[in-house]
């Protein structure tokens, strides 16, 4: 995976840095930088995405 935006220049968590996801938690994502094998925790970003006329499927029933 690649980081999509600059999070911390000092630790190397910059845009397009290659990382391996090692663990997913409710509020954190643990990643390992591939160029120096350092481990870091970054905040998990949650968002809602509801575009116009989008139908999501939940248990084979349309949800509007």
């Amino acid at each position: 995976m690649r980081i999509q935006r600059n999070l911390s220049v000092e630790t190397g968590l910059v845009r397009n840095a290659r990382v391996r996801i090692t663990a997913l938690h409710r509020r954190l994502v643990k990643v390992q930088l591939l160029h120096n094998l350092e481990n870091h925790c970054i905040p998990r970003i949650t968002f809602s995405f509801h575009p116009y006329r989008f139908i999501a499927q939940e248990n084979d029933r349309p949800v509007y």
Side-chain angles (χ1 to χ4, degrees):
M1 305 281 312
R2 291 185 188 262
I3 293 181
Q4 296 295 310
R5 62 182 183 173
N6 292 335
L7 298 172
S8 174
V9 176
E10 295 84 19
T11 59
L13 297 172
V14 294
R15 186 170 183 211
N16 291 325
R18 296 184 65 194
V19 296
R20 175 182 299 129
I21 297 173
T22 58
L24 292 173
H25 298 283
R26 184 172 181 201
R27 297 181 191 260
L28 294 173
V29 177
K30 288 186 180 180
V31 297
Q32 181 181 41
L33 289 169
L34 295 183
H35 70 278
N36 62 6
L37 302 179
E38 290 181 355
N39 293 313
H40 298 279
C41 293
I42 57 175
R44 191 170 185 170
I45 300 169
T46 58
F47 59 92
S48 297
F49 182 66
H50 302 287
Y52 178 69
R53 298 179 58 95
F54 177 74
I55 300 174
Q57 294 291 325
E58 181 178 324
N59 298 329
D60 297 327
R61 294 186 327 209
V63 177
Y64 297 94

